Amino acid sequence: MHQVLSVGRSLSIQAHPDKELAEYLHKAQPSVYKDPNHKPEMALALTEFEALCGFISSEELDIVLDMVPEINEVVSNASVDQHDGEVKGRDLRSIFTKLISIDRDVIFKALSKLVNRLTRENETRQLTSKEELVLKLEKQYPNDVGVLASLLLNLVKLEPGDGLYIGANEPHAHLNGECIECMATSDNVVRAGLTPKYMDVKTLCSMLTYKQGLPEILKGVPINQYVRRYTPPFEEFEVDQCVVDQGGSVVFPALPGPSVFVVISGEGMMLTSTSEDGVSEGDALFAPAGTEVQVSSESEVRVYRAGVNNKVLLNP
């Protein structure tokens, strides 16, 4: 799947199951998990783009627990827990599980305290980006546990041209901006907050990797003067960004797999051995396997091509 996504209102905090878990969930709850496939995805920023992705580092977690009394109060009973016979202090899995599982009235009280405190403090100091995000999210999703959970996730800010890939079992949420989104074909989503939709808390808490630290930002690799390639660390797809100057032309060599082209801006022509099509903003075209595609521009044209990961095609 390859689409343009414009985010005005923050989307839900969610994670996508890996292939094995997706098959299990589909058999167990086919009305909720409608297919047995996983859903790795990648977002390429068209504008400044903000997202939550992955859990904050251990050092940042300590700061949150020390500096945000409203969260510390809620999860205090989970600050020491036992896993695999080992007692761990300030264990992320315990903290997140406790937070995401608490009663709605507890969330209501904690959020009221947090919002009131930040509103007061905003009159005497500059709030951090995360604190400003809390106030924004609480207006969009009042009394939602995801507002508190956002403090445990990395706030990632992408510049146009930056890419962010999201693997299986990793929490994330798109907050605002426009991007090209590419993902495997699946509708399987396990939600964690910022949503009125169904949240499968038990599945969510058991499936996450709980990996901590900032995610990798992809900058792309130049293929030629017009094309930059973004290759995530999974086999389903890769994406080429193509910006052709007015009067310019570029050839996409024939590949063993199919491709989908989406025109973001400008006007031009797309030529194959069997067709010649004028294209402009909003057009999408499918290129079968083994098809060479030439893109030429009348005015500067920006095109994205999504196809099967080249590494897979070269190493069957």
Side-chain angles (χ1 to χ4, degrees):
M1 186 183 300
H2 182 41
Q3 63 185 9
V4 179
L5 185 64
S6 182
V7 182
R9 177 185 175 91
S10 301
L11 305 184
S12 62
I13 299 174
Q14 57 186 252
H16 305 302
D18 59 31
K19 181 68 173 176
E20 182 179 359
L21 179 58
E23 291 174 350
Y24 169 80
L25 292 174
H26 178 60
K27 289 181 180 179
Q29 301 182 68
S31 62
V32 178
Y33 304 104
K34 300 183 182 298
D35 61 77
N37 201 18
H38 61 168
K39 192 179 180 181
E41 65 178 88
M42 181 169 63
L44 299 182
L46 297 174
T47 64
E48 291 185 350
F49 192 84
E50 288 189 333
L52 295 170
C53 186
F55 287 105
I56 56 178
S57 67
S58 296
E59 294 78 12
E60 289 179 276
L61 179 61
D62 285 341
I63 293 172
V64 168
L65 294 178
D66 290 338
M67 302 301 292
V68 186
E70 297 82 5
I71 277 194
N72 199 25
E73 181 179 348
V74 167
V75 302
S76 58
N77 293 332
S79 61
V80 176
D81 204 350
Q82 185 170 345
H83 295 290
D84 301 324
E86 179 184 359
V87 176
K88 300 180 180 181
R90 293 197 165 185
D91 179 72
L92 173 63
R93 185 188 189 107
S94 300
I95 291 167
F96 182 79
T97 300
K98 175 72 173 182
L99 178 63
I100 211 72
S101 305
I102 59 178
D103 294 335
R104 189 174 180 86
D105 60 339
V106 177
I107 287 291
F108 173 78
K109 293 176 182 177
L111 278 175
S112 295
K113 290 181 181 179
L114 178 57
V115 169
N116 288 336
R117 177 173 65 82
L118 293 180
T119 301
R120 290 194 309 269
E121 293 181 8
N122 192 32
E123 297 177 357
T124 58
R125 68 174 177 89
Q126 177 66 49
L127 299 183
T128 67
S129 296
K130 271 290 191 70
E131 290 171 333
E132 290 178 345
L133 177 63
V134 164
L135 295 179
K136 174 183 175 182
L137 293 179
E138 202 279 332
K139 289 181 180 179
Q140 295 180 359
Y141 299 96
N143 306 324
D144 192 301
V145 66
V147 180
L148 286 176
S150 69
L151 290 167
L152 304 182
L153 303 178
N154 296 299
L155 175 57
V156 180
K157 298 184 178 184
L158 304 181
E159 296 297 324
D162 288 347
L164 177 68
Y165 65 82
I166 301 160
N169 304 323
E170 295 293 346
H172 61 281
H174 297 329
L175 300 178
N176 64 78
E178 297 180 354
C179 72
I180 291 287
E181 187 178 48
C182 192
M183 65 193 75
T185 304
S186 173
D187 286 325
N188 287 323
V189 176
V190 185
R191 294 179 177 86
L194 304 183
T195 179
K197 297 181 180 179
Y198 172 68
M199 294 191 347
D200 188 344
V201 173
K202 183 177 180 181
T203 296
L204 180 77
C205 293
S206 65
M207 70 184 275
L208 297 177
T209 67
Y210 295 99
K211 181 171 64 177
Q212 293 178 259
L214 288 170
E216 180 183 357
I217 304 300
L218 298 179
K219 298 293 184 179
V221 176
I223 303 301
N224 54 50
Q225 70 182 106
Y226 295 130
V227 178
R228 180 172 291 269
R229 177 162 295 168
Y230 298 80
T231 304
F234 36 75
E235 65 184 30
E236 276 74 12
F237 55 80
E238 64 187 10
V239 177
D240 289 340
Q241 174 190 265
C242 174
V243 182
V244 184
D245 298 334
Q246 183 175 4
S249 178
V250 64
V251 173
F252 288 85
L255 295 173
S259 298
V260 174
F261 291 79
V262 176
V263 182
I264 299 301
S265 62
E267 295 183 348
M269 301 292 295
M270 297 188 71
L271 296 86
T272 70
S273 60
T274 59
S275 66
E276 181 175 337
D277 297 295
V279 294
S280 59
E281 178 178 339
D283 287 343
L285 297 95
F286 175 80
T291 304
E292 181 182 276
V293 178
Q294 179 180 348
V295 177
S296 59
S297 67
E298 298 173 8
S299 61
E300 181 184 86
V301 63
R302 182 179 296 264
V303 177
Y304 284 81
R305 180 201 71 90
V308 178
N309 195 307
N310 195 51
K311 293 178 181 178
V312 175
L313 298 176
L314 294 177
N315 299 286

